[in-house]
Amino acid sequence: MKINKLKSKAFSTKAIHAGQEPDPSTGAVMTPITLSSTYAQKAPGKHKGYEYSRVSNPTRKALEHCISALEEGSFSFACASGVAASSLIFEILKPGDLLVAEEDLYGGSLRILTKILKPRGISIHLMDLSKEDNIFKIPKKAKMIWLESPTNPLMKLIDIKKVSAVAKKNKSLLVVDNTFMSPFFQKPLLLGADIVLHSATKYLSGHSDIVAGVITTHCPDLAESLAFWSKSLGPVLSPFDSYLLLRSLKTLAIRMKAHEQNALELALFLEKQKRVKKVLYPGLKSHPQHQLALKQMSGFGGMISFYLKGGKKEVFECLSRFQIFTLAESLGGVESLVEHPASMTHAASPHPPSESLIRISTGIEDVKDLKSDFLQALKSKKPFKRQENKAR
Ligand SMILES: *Cc1c(COP(=O)(O)O)cnc(C)c1O
């Protein structure tokens, strides 16, 4: 269905129909996977809108229309991974430019900043933007401001509207990585961001079987530049993965509701466990920015982090005991995952998080089974007590 006809429709309707009409030549209801790399022309330059699949492909185009509808933006780009999407956006920066970024970011984004952009002569300034005072200290000359909210893995929230007001005043571009929330729970473009991106590998795919990234903007000039870099550099998503992602989006709304329902129940449950020191989940009243969560998001998502009492040994012992949760990197799939940021996703970070921090991606299994998995994993074999030094 055409985007303009769907404008007034609800999220789940858009997720199922946007960019997708029955195939005019066969009536096929599902968008065909167009594998062709090239397209016939009647005369040079006279074609049906497609010339070469690096530039544009019908399956990828359908996906890009659907993403634009969900983020309430105008132009989208589907890329071969989340980091490919980030790299395309970073093409905006030239040597001498200043990039201001939230300090608690996806490890791979920090790696691009410190190991690729900085050596190219782009200045990087990391700040804790969850502190409101700091938002007003963002340097005026920042060309771009880059953030995630909630942050990964500390689950801090950043007031996107406040940052966007500062960005607009200073003519800085605001980029929001919306991977943790998905457009179902948070729409950064409506909060004033210029560009939103996702690792579509996570919630948008939801089944841990695609690596993909998407970018959306409402600004025609930015879209023109992104389209130019995309066609010139070629980090595009394949037709098959575009199809899989389009298929995944159809269930995004029901999946996100189920992730959130389980996560909220699990977070409350974890707060009551003796071996758990602190739970970080924006849906909990104990989260210091719970009020901002209520204002800026329409739900709290499926990601939870928590501190376990004890050190690395106790944490590793617990991590290896899970039976339903899988110990693995990544997030956003229907299956529950657990991981150790300090040694896995954030090992390369300039400030790795505490050894006692555990991050979970709550899946959509029955929450009773998730809780009982936790109960057995938290049960230490020995009573939990620091060992006395017997030699003394
Ligand atoms: C995974 C992730 C990325 C990188 O995406 P890939 O698809 O793995 O390339 C970027 N940002 C966030 C928040 C992520 O979780």
Side-chain angles (χ1 to χ4, degrees):
M1 214 169 173
K2 294 267 183 289
I3 288 185
N4 48 7
K5 273 198 225 155
L6 277 165
K7 269 237 154 75
S8 59
K9 301 287 187 283
F11 187 93
S12 49
T13 309
K14 290 180 190 166
I16 292 168
H17 294 289
Q20 300 155 76
E21 301 207 62
D23 183 49
S25 57
T26 62
V29 169
M30 296 308 297
T31 306
I33 305 174
T34 303
L35 292 171
S36 193
S37 58
T38 189
Y39 302 82
Q41 309 197 8
K42 274 221 158 65
K46 253 185 107 181
H47 51 72
K48 299 184 170 176
Y50 299 97
E51 296 159 89
Y52 188 60
S53 275
R54 167 158 37 79
V55 181
S56 189
N57 167 279
T59 317
R60 194 165 70 236
K61 179 129 272 162
L63 166 67
E64 290 168 342
H65 279 314
C66 191
I67 295 285
S68 290
L70 299 184
E71 283 290 358
E72 303 197 26
S74 313
F75 312 95
S76 291
F77 301 88
C79 302
S81 66
V83 295
S86 307
S87 312
L88 212 53
I89 298 168
F90 287 133
E91 286 296 324
I92 294 171
L93 299 171
K94 301 286 169 269
D97 284 344
L98 171 66
L99 168 63
V100 169
E102 158 59 35
E103 61 186 13
D104 189 33
L105 277 190
Y106 170 67
S109 301
L110 283 170
R111 182 172 54 206
I112 300 180
L113 266 49
T114 54
K115 301 265 170 71
I116 297 179
L117 298 183
K118 206 167 161 205
R120 278 186 196 167
I122 292 156
S123 308
I124 311 292
H125 187 73
L126 299 178
M127 301 176 78
D128 179 358
L129 295 174
S130 68
K131 297 207 171 83
E132 250 189 80
D133 291 356
N134 285 348
I135 295 179
F136 300 101
K137 290 183 197 147
I138 294 175
K140 278 203 173 59
K141 68 185 251 304
K143 175 82 181 272
M144 181 185 284
I145 304 168
W146 186 285
L147 61 87
E148 295 168 17
S149 181
T151 65
N152 176 13
L154 297 177
M155 304 303 292
K156 297 185 300 178
L157 303 187
I158 294 161
D159 193 325
I160 298 173
K161 250 190 186 160
K162 287 214 168 104
V163 177
S164 94
V166 169
K168 286 206 162 56
K169 209 171 99 215
N170 298 345
K171 299 203 163 58
S172 314
L173 285 173
L174 174 59
V175 182
V176 176
D177 181 337
N178 201 25
T179 301
F180 267 34
M181 281 295 105
S182 90
F184 184 70
F185 285 136
Q186 179 168 273
K187 294 192 183 64
L189 295 180
L190 301 186
L191 297 167
D194 299 291
I195 299 177
V196 58
L197 86 145
H198 287 268
S199 165
T201 311
K202 318 294 168 53
Y203 286 108
L204 298 186
S205 140
H207 296 75
S208 305
D209 55 3
I210 314 170
V211 172
V214 292
I215 305 171
T216 307
T217 180
H218 43 51
C219 170
D221 291 345
L222 281 174
E224 198 183 319
S225 299
L226 290 165
F228 174 77
W229 292 317
S230 175
K231 118 179 144 180
S232 308
L233 303 171
V236 293
L237 193 62
S238 76
F240 183 67
D241 286 339
S242 298
Y243 168 79
L244 271 183
L245 194 50
L246 202 51
R247 184 186 207 269
S248 295
L249 291 177
K250 292 179 191 293
T251 55
L252 180 63
I254 50 170
R255 282 188 284 111
M256 292 315 294
K257 282 182 210 164
H259 281 295
E260 184 193 36
Q261 196 181 341
N262 276 2
L264 192 54
E265 196 165 332
L266 201 59
L268 288 166
F269 166 84
L270 285 173
E271 269 196 327
K272 292 194 206 111
Q273 303 307 310
K274 271 210 286 294
R275 288 198 60 200
V276 172
K277 194 153 68 188
K278 192 174 177 197
V279 183
L280 311 173
Y281 181 66
L284 292 175
K285 291 210 176 74
S286 61
H287 190 289
Q289 294 164 299
H290 181 61
Q291 290 310 315
L292 177 57
L294 291 169
K295 203 171 76 182
Q296 154 165 305
M297 293 129 69
S298 56
F300 309 113
M303 297 303 296
I304 306 172
S305 292
F306 67 95
Y307 294 98
L308 195 74
K309 287 180 189 161
K312 189 170 172 176
K313 184 168 164 285
E314 288 82 3
V315 169
F316 273 36
E317 242 171 46
C318 168
L319 284 171
S320 55
R321 271 203 296 267
F322 283 102
Q323 286 168 2
I324 292 176
F325 281 84
T326 304
L327 178 59
E329 298 198 4
S330 198
L331 60 110
V334 290
E335 69 290 329
S336 291
L337 301 180
V338 62
E339 70 112 2
H340 187 237
S343 59
M344 294 168 71
T345 49
H346 290 69
S349 157
H351 312 286
S354 152
E355 293 275 11
S356 62
L357 187 75
I358 294 178
R359 189 188 80 179
I360 59 184
S361 168
T362 318
I364 63 172
E365 300 95 337
D366 193 303
V367 72
K368 284 199 288 297
D369 294 327
L370 299 182
K371 285 189 202 166
S372 60
D373 199 23
F374 254 102
L375 280 182
Q376 65 82 23
L378 289 173
K379 213 177 270 168
S380 58
K381 284 184 199 111
K382 288 160 263 161
F384 179 68
K385 215 172 164 190
R386 273 205 193 287
Q387 289 280 298
E388 295 284 336
N389 187 344
K390 290 208 178 95
R392 213 154 6 121

